[in-house]
């Protein structure tokens, strides 16, 4: 009887704790059972106590709104209190939207997809997640859309569970994290590497009218990064799918897809996807930079990006400014391009180089968007229709093109042979204009004109044929030192081909020195000797 009493007292203590957690009615019923000291009932109450302990209640708070107006890829939503800028919102049909315009009474959203199944009155939910994209090596060799989703029919991304995601809009590196641009990024294009050099971490604008070779320069630069430990992101903004297919074919033929990701927002897609594409590509390149690696990103082109943003802004009822663009169009591109940088060694030493492309109308570089981007970037490569029609490829106008990094982005060999190249070309162009008047010219002037014409010819090259830096050093030195003065203009390209073949066979060690950037009087003397032997043994025969 004493054992029964002791057991009963223990159950009574447990039941008191249980009673404190139940409602009034259940508490009364349990009190009656407890007073009856029914052992069987106490056992069942113990089991009930275990079930109650397993129950966990929590409040779930979700931001909900109602679509008031839908059309042209834009939705006006009321409610959604506490929604963030660039937050993803979910429509009933599963389509996502992006919150861009936050007002006291409504939220202006752009629809990331088709809006045919979204209607006024639909319930819209906030996700609490800022838009992000997958980044990292699994994207190399793939074609993705502005949301990072594969569109190349090669299946899902590899190791999907391990893919890292990154917000598409991040703050640019602060000044203290940056390092001076001093390491060259070779494009393989003689006219650029010698006169308008690019450095890792630089932002160089490619500008010119349509169909004169802007994309070709960017594609050649990507192809030349093979075996250079540079990861490339090529962003096609508002391009035709036929153009994208041609770029992909070129990359595939030259083995560039192994280190390249292509982000596509075609002309057929909604303006919201065109607006997001460069930011998505920037996040992918930024991931490599912060991992201590080197990346190159091409924005082809930001003219269409600005037009898409203007369309979205007008639909969101924002006030229009110059040329109907919203007032923050400058900030739109500056916060994008400022993210390109070279980080200091303390922060990994990575870099992200940007090549934005902009299209002009009839060579008008004083238009609104071109002047904005010229002021943001570290220089521009300007292509002209006149040079293109004259057969100068690439049609780079050396007089209007500039690199604000300059010789700091060249190795010692290239800097030594191209030190006066830009000045020589500028003087040649002035003399050429003067000679058109038909005035009698002295021999020195005629010789200078002849040499300038050969220098400009030697800087031309075929598309999709980037040239190693050592070969560039040799041919530019030969042209600048007068070794081509007696070569007919129509034979200059043949002279270059034979010279490089001769040096590869006879002086491979010399080319290796130039590849590493070495230059000194002894190497220069060896190069002069090799040029003399070439002209005696090969060319004059």
């Amino acid at each position: 009887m004493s054992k029964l009493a002791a057991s009963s007292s223990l159950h009574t203590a447990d039941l008191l704790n249980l009673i404190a957690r139940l409602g009034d009615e259940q508490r009364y019923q349990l009190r009656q059972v407890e007073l009856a000291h029914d052992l069987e009932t106490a056992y069942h109450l113990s089991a009930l106590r275990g079930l109650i302990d397993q129950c966990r209640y929590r409040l779930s708070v979700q931001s909900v709104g109602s679509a008031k107006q839908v059309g042209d890829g834009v939705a006006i939503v009321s409610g959604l209190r506490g929604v963030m800028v660039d937050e993803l919102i979910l429509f009933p049909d599963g389509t996502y939207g992006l919150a861009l315009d936050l007002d006291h009474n409504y939220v202006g959203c752009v629809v990331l997809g088709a809006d045919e199944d979204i209607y006024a009155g639909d319930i819209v939910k906030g996700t609490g997640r800022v838009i992000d994209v997958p980044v990292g090596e699994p994207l190399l060799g793939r074609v993705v859309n502005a949301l990072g989703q594969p569109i190349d029919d090669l299946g899902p991304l590899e190791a999907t569970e391990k893919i890292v995601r990154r917000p598409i809009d991040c703050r640019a590196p602060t000044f203290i994290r940056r390092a001076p641009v001093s390491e060259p990024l070779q494009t393989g294009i003689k006219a650029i590497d010698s006169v308008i050099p690019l450095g890792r971490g630089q932002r160089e604008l490619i500008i010119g009218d349509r169909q004169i070779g802007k994309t070709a320069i960017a594609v050649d630069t990507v192809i030349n990064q093979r075996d250079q430990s540079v990861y490339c992101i090529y962003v096609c903004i508002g391009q035709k799918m036929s153009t994208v297919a041609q770029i992909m074919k070129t990359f595939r033929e030259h083995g560039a897809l192994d280190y390249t990701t292509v982000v596509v927002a075609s002309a057929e897609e909604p303006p919201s996807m065109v607006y997001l594409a460069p930011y998505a590509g920037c996040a992918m390149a930024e991931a490599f930079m912060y991992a201590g690696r080197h990346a190159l990103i091409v924005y082809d082109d930001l003219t269409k990006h600005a037009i898409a943003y203007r369309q979205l802004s007008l639909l969101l009822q924002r006030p229009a400014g110059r040329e109907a663009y919203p007032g923050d169009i400058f900030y739109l591109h500056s916060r994008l391009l400022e993210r390109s940088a070279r980080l200091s060694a303390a922060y990994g030493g990575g870099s992200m180089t940007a090549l934005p492309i902009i299209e002009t109308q009839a060579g008008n570089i004083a238009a609104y968007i071109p002047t904005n981007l010229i002021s943001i970037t570290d220089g521009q490569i300007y292509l002209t229709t006149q040079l293109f029609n004259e057969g100068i490829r690439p049609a780079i106008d050396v007089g209007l093109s500039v690199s604000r990094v300059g010789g700091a982005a060249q190795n010692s060999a290239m800097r030594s042979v191209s030190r006066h190249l830009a000045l020589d070309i500028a003087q040649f162009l002035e003399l050429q204009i003067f000679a058109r008047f038909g005035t009698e010219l002295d021999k020195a002037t005629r010789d200078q004109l002849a040499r300038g014409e050969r220098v400009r010819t030697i800087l031309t090259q075929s598309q999709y044929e980037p040239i190693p830096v050592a070969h560039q050093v040799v041919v530019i030195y030969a042209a600048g030192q007068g070794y081509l003065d007696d070569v007919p203009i129509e034979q200059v390209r043949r002279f270059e081909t034979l010279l490089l073949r001769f040096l590869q066979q006879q002086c491979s060690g010399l080319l290796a020195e130039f590849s590493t950037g070495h230059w000194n009087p002894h190497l220069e003397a060896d190069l002069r000797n090799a040029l003399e032997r070439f002209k005696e043994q090969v060319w004059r025969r």
Side-chain angles (χ1 to χ4, degrees), residues 379-526:
Q380 66 272 353
I381 300 171
Y382 182 56
L383 288 78
T384 65
T385 305
Q386 180 182 354
L387 292 176
F388 184 84
N389 293 335
E390 291 177 3
I392 305 298
R393 312 287 171 80
I396 299 175
D397 189 326
V398 178
L400 293 178
S401 301
V402 64
S403 172
R404 296 187 179 94
V405 175
Q410 291 177 313
N411 61 39
S412 178
M414 179 60 79
R415 185 165 55 248
S416 299
V417 302
S418 63
R419 182 179 294 111
H420 305 293
L421 188 59
L423 180 61
D424 293 341
I425 294 176
Q427 291 177 345
F428 161 72
L429 294 176
E430 290 184 0
L431 287 176
Q432 191 179 44
I433 295 173
F434 180 73
R436 291 175 183 172
F437 293 104
T439 309
E440 186 70 23
L441 303 176
D442 58 82
K443 184 178 184 302
T445 303
R446 292 197 302 270
D447 291 344
Q448 189 173 358
L449 281 171
R451 179 172 296 185
E453 191 172 0
R454 282 156 179 79
V455 168
R456 192 168 72 164
T457 303
I458 205 68
L459 292 180
T460 62
Q461 65 188 82
S462 302
Q463 190 174 356
Y464 307 141
E465 294 182 6
I467 300 175
V469 62
H471 295 182
Q472 297 183 41
V473 169
V474 169
V475 297
I476 291 174
Y477 182 85
Q481 296 299 316
Y483 288 95
L484 277 73
D485 288 354
D486 58 348
V487 178
I489 287 294
E490 61 275 8
Q491 294 291 322
V492 168
R493 298 295 297 275
R494 179 172 174 268
F495 180 94
E496 177 185 356
T497 302
L498 294 177
L499 172 61
L500 294 176
R501 186 183 304 168
F502 173 82
L503 292 177
Q504 287 175 329
Q505 296 173 353
Q506 304 291 333
C507 308
S508 58
L510 189 62
L511 292 178
E513 292 286 347
F514 295 150
S515 297
T516 57
H518 293 164
W519 183 265
N520 55 54
H522 299 291
L523 291 176
E524 183 179 4
D526 292 342

